[in-house]
Structures are given as structure tokens and as C-alpha cells.
């Protein structure tokens, strides 16, 4: 079915779908899955609770019929889901309302990417974003609370670029007092590499990461720090709704992005819907509840019923949490490791 994209109460079209394929992860980043909470006795979703690849592809197909043109796989760690390339293959065949291919991307911690990149590219994945918070070995291990090394992630980035999954975006969450001294080493490492380094303000997602405003280094502060050593010039956005503001090195060594969700919220352009691993739709990263689709999927609902449910969730959406930060209180915000950023 074709037609214009559905719009929410604030007139924002539905354009993006983020699919969290698992709540599991091989890292325990202290700001996302602190081990005190996600330790040995944490209960993850059982296999039977997760949407199957066919169920995910069905939901994605309906989302595309409602206007989605970009799909991003995330998690937890998406590469913890076995044979993820099977899902990529199902999604790669989707066509947007305009008739073109869907833009298919993935966000990963990169630890397993070196061995998976080629299979994912062969299955139809277009691009990857890789998270990397530090180049320093000890700090990387401390922040990810894992035995993986930054080398493994850098190898994953290189493999992704070789497989044609570029330009690779590299996401660094900056936590003041923790890894801000890694900003310039990261800049020096990635300048001129063709990969796009993006800095993310530390956000108050979920309930468990002990967020404090004084640990946020703002995008403006990050930009000034870099600009003092490597002058930057502003670059116009590629398209409306882009979350990162773009800056180019004046000497032509490429560009960086700043994701200023805390200091300069971008809810007015937020066109993203999120699907949780067990089939709940969320209309905001800071939502306190999702809308169950799995029951519909598993009780034989036809596409029209699913479409009505998903479209209905979007058209009643009013979320703009980041613009209202400090004015609203949420008791049960969804966790980042469940919904995937
Ligand atoms: N495991 C994958 C990864 O780390 O790339 C995908 C899921 S992870 C939840 C998605 C992104 O959210 C990562 O780039 C991560 O650094 C970011 N993230 C997690 N918690 C965050 C927080 N409190 N503030 C800002 N970004 C956060
Ligand atoms: Fe895992 Fe990604 Fe969360 Fe780190 S940020 S714990 S890699 S899901
Ligand atoms: Fe979108 Fe919610 Fe983030 Fe605002 S706070 S940009 S509505 S996900």
C-alpha cells in the first residue's frame, strides 16, 4: 500500500525504525548495564519471548508501509543474536513508499564485527555505527567492564569499511571526569581515516546508570576543545531530522558529529519508533511503557490489524522528553540496553 507517511500529534512523520534484537550484551558498560544490576543473577528475556526474525520482518514491513525509510538494528548487542544476517536478508528486500530500497544500518559495540562484517554486507546491510568510548586499553576495559580490547573494536571498524559498510560512524559517549581526556586522542586517531567520529552527550536514560548533569560535557564544550587544536567549520545537515550536527575539519581531514540530546534537544525532528526485543513499540527513548505487538502477531492478526495498531500508536504520539527534561518525572524509564538507543 502506498500513501504519505503517518504523522504524530506534533506533526512529525514516521521515518525511522530502530529494532532491538536482544537485551543481552557481551559488555557491561557502566553507564548502560552496570554489573551490580546486570550481574550473574540478572534474568534476561527467554528465547521464546523474543520476536523471531519472521515476526520482526513482518512488523518492519508494516512500518515501511506507514512511512519508514530507515531501519537500524541495535540491542543490547545485536551481534549476540545468532545469524543476524538472516534478519538482514529479510529486511534488505523492503521497499519504501517512494519505491527505493530501505536504508539498513546497525549499531554495535564492534567486538564481534571483524568476523561478521562481510556476511552482514553480503546479506544487504548498508552501514554500521560502532561505539567506542576510549582508545586507552585500561580505560576501555573499565568503561565496558569487559575483557575486550579497543584493538578488537578497531579491527571490527576496519573489517566493516573493507566490506563496504562505510562510511563507518564511530560513537563516543563522553562522561566528564571519566573519558573526556580521550576526546583528542580519538580525534587524532580518526582524522583522515574516512570514518566519522561522533560525540554523544551522556544521557539520563533508564533508571540504573546514576546519571548526573555534572557528568555531561556539552557538545559546545567538546567542539571548542577540538576546534582549539583542529579548526572546525559547520556543515549543513544532509537531511531534516538528522540527530548529529556536523562539523568539518578546516584542513579537509573529514568531519565529526555532535549529538547534543541533553544541551540542545531535537525532539521537534524526532521521527523514530522503537521496537523492543519482545515486540513492544516505544515512541520515545525515555518512554515508561511500550505497546505490545507480540500478542497480535501470535494470535493470527492480519496485516490490516497490525497496521491499525502501529499507525494508531504513532498518530497519538506526543513525546518530547528531552525538551521537557527537568519538568517531567518518570518513575519507570525503559533501559538503554533493552531499547537500544
Ligand atoms: N550495544 C550496541 C552499542 O553499544 O553500540 C548497541 C546498543 S547501545 C545501547 C547504543 C548506543 O547507546 C551506544 O552507542 C551507547 O554508547 C549509547 N548509550 C548507552 N547508554 C547511554 C547513555 N546513558 N548516554 C548516552 N549514550 C548511551
Ligand atoms: Fe552493551 Fe551497548 Fe550497553 Fe555497552 S552500550 S552495555 S555495548 S548495549
Ligand atoms: Fe525523540 Fe524522545 Fe529523544 Fe525527544 S526525547 S528526541 S521525542 S526519543
Amino acid at each position: 500500500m502506498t500513501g504519505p507517511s503517518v504523522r504524530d500529534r506534533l506533526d512529525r512523520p514516521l521515518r525511522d525504525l530502530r529494532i532491538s534484537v536482544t537485551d543481552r550484551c557481551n559488555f557491561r558498560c557502566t553507564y548502560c548495564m552496570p554489573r551490580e544490576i546486570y550481574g550473574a543473577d540478572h534474568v534476561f528475556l527467554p528465547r521464546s519471548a523474543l520476536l523471531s526474525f519472521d515476526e520482526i520482518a513482518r512488523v518492519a514491513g508494516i512500518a515501511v508501509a506507514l512511512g519508514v525509510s530507515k531501519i537500524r538494528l541495535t540491542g543490547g548487542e545485536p551481534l549476540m543474536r545468532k545469524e543476524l544476517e538472516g534478519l538482514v536478508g529479510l529486511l534488505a528486500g523492503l521497499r519504501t513508499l517512494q519505491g527505493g530500497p530501505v536504508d539498513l544500518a546497525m549499531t554495535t559495540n564492534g567486538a564481534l564485527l571483524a568476523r561478521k562484517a562481510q556476511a552482514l554486507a553480503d546479506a544487504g546491510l548498508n552501514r554500521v555505527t560502532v561505539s567506542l568510548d576510549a582508545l586507552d586499553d585500561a580505560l576501555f576495559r573499565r568503561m565496558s567492564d569487559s575483557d575486550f580490547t579497543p584493538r578488537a573494536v578497531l579491527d571490527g571498524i576496519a573489517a566493516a569499511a573493507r566490506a563496504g559498510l562505510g562510511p563507518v560512524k564511530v560513537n563516543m559517549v563522553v562522561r566528564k571526569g571519566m573519558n573526556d581526556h580521550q576526546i583528542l586522542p580519538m580525534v587524532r586517531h580518526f582524522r583522515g581515516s574516512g570514518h566519522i567520529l561522533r560525540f554523544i552527550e551522556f544521557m539520563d536514560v533508564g533508571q540504573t546508570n546514576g546519571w548526573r548533569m555534572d557528568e555531561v560535557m556539552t557538545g559546545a564544550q567538546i567542539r571548542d576543545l577540538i576546534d582549539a587544536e583542529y579548526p572546525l567549520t559547520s556543515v549543513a545537515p544532509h537531511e531534516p531530522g538528522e540527530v548529529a550536527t556536523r562539523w568539518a575539519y578546516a584542513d579537509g581531514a573529514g568531519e565529526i558529529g555532535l549529538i547534543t540530546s541533553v544541551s540542545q534537544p531535537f525532539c521537534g525532528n524526532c521521527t523514530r519508533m522503537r521496537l523492543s526485543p519482545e515486540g513492544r513499540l516505544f515512541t520515545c527513548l525515555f518512554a515508561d511503557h511500550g505497546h505490545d505487538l507480540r500478542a497480535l502477531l501470535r494470535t493470527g492478526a492480519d496485516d490490516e490489524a497490525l497496521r491499525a495498531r502501529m499507525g494508531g500508536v504513532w498518530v497519538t504520539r506526543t513525546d518530547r522528553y528531552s525538551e521537557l527534561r527537568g519538568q517531567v518525572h518518570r518513575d519507570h524509564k525503559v533501559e538503554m540496553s533493552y531499547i537500544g538507543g
Side-chain angles (χ1 to χ4, degrees):
M1 183 179 300
T2 57
S5 173
V6 287
R7 289 185 172 259
D8 71 9
R9 289 253 174 91
L10 303 176
D11 204 30
R12 296 168 297 191
L14 172 62
R15 296 248 186 273
D16 312 71
L17 178 65
R18 297 194 170 200
I19 303 173
S20 174
V21 294
T22 177
D23 59 339
R24 290 167 200 260
C25 188
N26 44 0
F27 286 12
R28 285 291 177 275
C29 300
T30 49
Y31 55 72
C32 179
M33 295 182 81
R35 203 173 284 277
E36 312 86 83
I37 291 157
Y38 295 91
D41 46 8
H42 180 78
V43 182
F44 289 97
L45 293 168
R47 187 82 183 75
S48 59
L50 300 181
L51 293 193
S52 68
F53 288 169
D54 284 334
E55 287 170 330
I56 294 174
R58 196 166 161 220
V59 171
I62 291 167
V64 167
L66 290 168
V68 161
S69 55
K70 287 183 170 185
I71 295 180
R72 177 170 294 275
L73 301 176
T74 175
E77 172 46 40
L79 295 180
M80 296 286 281
R81 185 90 187 242
K82 285 206 180 68
E83 282 155 41
L84 189 70
E85 56 276 22
L87 175 62
V88 169
L90 295 177
L91 300 177
L94 293 173
R95 287 285 169 274
T96 67
L97 289 178
Q98 291 71 36
V102 165
D103 180 41
L104 195 52
M106 177 179 69
T107 302
T108 171
N109 63 29
L112 303 175
L113 188 57
R115 66 175 99 132
K116 293 295 268 184
Q118 191 60 54
L120 291 163
D122 291 345
L125 191 70
N126 300 124
R127 291 173 301 108
V128 290
T129 298
V130 181
S131 304
L132 179 61
D133 296 334
L135 287 171
D136 177 81
D137 222 80
L139 180 60
F140 177 88
R141 284 171 200 253
R142 199 157 71 242
M143 286 187 78
S144 64
D145 194 2
S146 77
D147 288 331
F148 289 100
T149 59
R151 184 74 258 159
V153 179
L154 293 172
D155 289 347
I157 292 170
R162 274 198 307 277
L165 295 172
V168 178
K169 291 181 184 151
V170 179
N171 276 0
M172 173 179 182
V173 174
V174 180
R175 199 169 178 177
K176 204 194 291 181
M178 174 73 78
N179 65 338
D180 45 328
H181 63 283
Q182 289 286 288
I183 294 173
L184 288 174
M186 289 279 283
V187 161
R188 289 182 199 114
H189 184 90
F190 287 108
R191 266 169 52 81
S193 68
H195 311 318
I196 301 170
L197 181 56
R198 307 191 316 165
F199 299 92
I200 306 182
E201 291 177 354
F202 179 43
M203 290 189 286
D204 52 334
V205 259
Q207 311 279 104
T208 58
N209 71 1
W211 183 84
R212 294 201 327 260
M213 186 66 204
D214 61 9
E215 285 183 295
V216 178
M217 185 159 176
T218 65
Q221 291 168 331
I222 295 168
R223 186 201 53 221
D224 289 349
L225 177 78
I226 300 169
D227 184 63
E229 192 154 331
Y230 301 104
L232 295 168
T233 55
S234 168
V235 182
H238 276 303
E239 54 195 74
E242 212 166 52
V243 296
T245 52
R246 302 169 58 206
W247 296 83
Y249 295 111
D251 65 3
E255 65 176 77
I256 62 160
L258 297 169
I259 303 181
T260 57
S261 355
V262 178
S263 67
Q264 287 177 301
F266 35 75
C267 301
N269 286 329
C270 181
T271 55
R272 290 179 288 285
M273 178 145 80
R274 297 173 158 88
L275 179 66
S276 79
E278 88 294 40
R280 292 201 195 132
L281 276 186
F282 286 79
T283 54
C284 179
L285 189 49
F286 299 90
D288 51 9
H289 74 285
H291 306 263
D292 183 42
L293 294 181
R294 193 183 58 191
L296 277 179
L297 286 164
R298 295 192 179 170
T299 52
D302 63 13
D303 283 358
E304 204 38 60
L306 272 170
R307 185 187 157 89
R309 170 83 167 141
M310 291 169 62
V313 166
W314 189 262
V315 297
T316 54
R317 172 182 192 248
T318 56
D319 305 271
R320 49 190 201 102
Y321 176 89
S322 288
E323 289 181 349
L324 301 173
R325 184 175 272 111
Q327 300 168 44
V328 289
H329 176 74
R330 295 267 159 87
D331 278 332
H332 299 288
K333 283 184 295 186
V334 61
E335 293 299 332
M336 191 73 145
S337 56
Y338 168 82
I339 203 66

